Amino acid sequence: LAVFPWLLTGFIHLDGYMDVCDAILSRRDLATRQKILKDPHCGAFAVICIVLLSLGQWSLFLSAGENRSLLGLCFIPAAVRCCAGLAVGRMGTSQYAAMRHLSSGLTAALCLLLGLFTVLPIGISFSFGPLAAAAGYVLAAAYGYRQLDGMSGDISGFALTLGELAGVAVWALGR
């Protein structure tokens, strides 16, 4: 379960996570951080962060126990991806920028789905995991945005990865 989301997406979000970790944790000036973000090489901070993420995710699933409802877990990726869709729709330099004319309808649909994916599991399986995942995405995206002066696909991947971890933490540790 810990690696399933990564395998399913072909590790694409982990690449953004690792790039952003390298850039932010370098503690350099903004121009250097942005240059590090675009660097295709893997730095020490990326390796350290991916190991910590893997250990954290594995530990959370290990501590969840058998009595946790998998239904609440299923909504976590959906809630985070709604947040990512909303964020990507706002990026002016995104490959999706050409879809701006659909933006109001798409935004409304994603907001509706986000609400559904975060509130429905609370009533069905008493899981606040999807709500925590959405909140984790927003906080991580805002942090990445501030640190790197803008939104990018890498920051979205960073936020998506941390949002899922936050959702799994609440799902696994909530009683």
Side-chain angles (χ1 to χ4, degrees):
L1 284 173
V3 299
F4 182 72
W6 304 340
L7 292 171
L8 191 63
T9 60
F11 298 89
I12 189 71
H13 303 112
L14 287 181
D15 176 58
Y17 170 78
M18 292 172 73
D19 289 345
V20 170
C21 287
D22 255 350
I24 290 175
L25 294 175
S26 72
R27 303 288 188 228
R28 304 277 177 94
D29 60 285
L30 178 61
T32 306
R33 287 193 309 257
Q34 290 173 335
K35 185 177 175 186
I36 292 170
L37 186 66
K38 296 181 187 322
D39 185 3
H41 298 94
C42 184
F45 291 120
V47 173
I48 292 166
C49 287
I50 196 68
V51 167
L52 291 174
L53 177 73
S54 301
L55 288 173
Q57 202 147 306
W58 179 76
S59 298
L60 287 169
F61 279 108
L62 189 63
S63 67
E66 295 96 31
N67 62 348
R68 300 300 304 156
S69 166
L70 291 179
L71 187 59
L73 182 65
C74 293
F75 287 96
I76 290 171
V80 172
R81 278 157 181 79
C82 284
C83 292
L86 290 168
V88 166
R90 298 280 181 221
M91 291 188 318
T93 59
S94 166
Q95 63 187 5
Y96 304 104
M99 295 176 28
R100 288 250 189 246
H101 66 282
L102 299 174
S103 124
S104 63
L106 184 61
T107 300
L110 286 171
C111 287
L112 179 65
L113 285 173
L114 179 60
L116 179 69
F117 291 143
T118 55
V119 174
L120 189 62
I122 295 170
I124 293 175
S125 62
F126 303 107
S127 175
F128 288 92
L131 186 60
Y137 180 93
V138 169
L139 291 172
Y143 180 71
Y145 183 91
R146 273 194 325 273
Q147 290 295 314
L148 297 165
D149 196 33
M151 189 66 181
S152 69
D154 283 340
I155 294 171
S156 185
F158 169 77
L160 192 141
T161 302
L162 290 178
E164 283 182 344
L165 184 68
V168 168
V170 168
W171 171 81
L173 302 176
R175 300 284 180 228

